Amino acid sequence: MPKIYVTDWSDREHVIEGRVGMTVMENIRQAGIEDLAAICGGCCSCATCHVYVEESWFEKLAPREDDELDLVSDTSVYEEDASRLSCQIPFTDALDGLKVTIAPED
């Protein structure tokens, strides 16, 4: 099964079994990592599933849509070049080994 490496707010890395067909956010929540609030449940209407994607993986993802860009820039003081909403990243076999860090809470 493909893996996702998730670093939490305590700088602890979790290795989770990623389920293809789910989003990265759904995989993180299903693994029980509580730092990712994901309040809207994946509707792209908040930024509480904000993560930083490791640079080597960022270009392998589909480009960010305008809604995602707007949400992160309008609601997070922690926006970085590698910022993504994990609810907007479909997890596939091609993302085996994906590394993300949960962004600080606003």
Side-chain angles (χ1 to χ4, degrees), residues 33-48:
I33 301 170
E34 295 180 10
D35 291 349
L36 193 83
I39 292 170
C40 77
C43 297
C44 197
S45 63
C46 71
T48 59

Side-chain angles (χ1 to χ4, degrees), residues 2-80:
K3 303 215 180 329
I4 305 171
Y5 296 83
V6 181
T7 302
D8 66 19
W9 294 339
S10 300
D11 206 31
R12 181 175 161 226
E13 185 176 72
H14 305 261
V15 181
I16 62 174
E17 300 287 331
R19 289 194 176 178
V20 172
M22 295 173 63
T23 64
V24 171
M25 181 269 305
E26 291 169 320
N27 276 291
I28 293 171
R29 284 184 56 173
Q30 189 167 36
I33 301 170
E34 295 180 10
D35 291 349
L36 193 83
I39 292 170
C40 77
C43 297
C44 197
S45 63
C46 71
T48 59
C49 69
H50 180 195
V51 297
Y52 304 125
V53 176
E54 186 178 273
E55 186 179 345
S56 65
W57 285 97
F58 197 82
E59 295 301 320
K60 297 176 184 176
L61 304 177
R64 294 176 282 188
E65 299 288 331
D66 290 341
D67 289 348
E68 180 181 358
L69 286 167
D70 291 344
L71 272 171
V72 173
S73 64
D74 292 346
T75 62
S76 181
V77 297
Y78 299 106
E79 179 183 17
E80 294 184 3

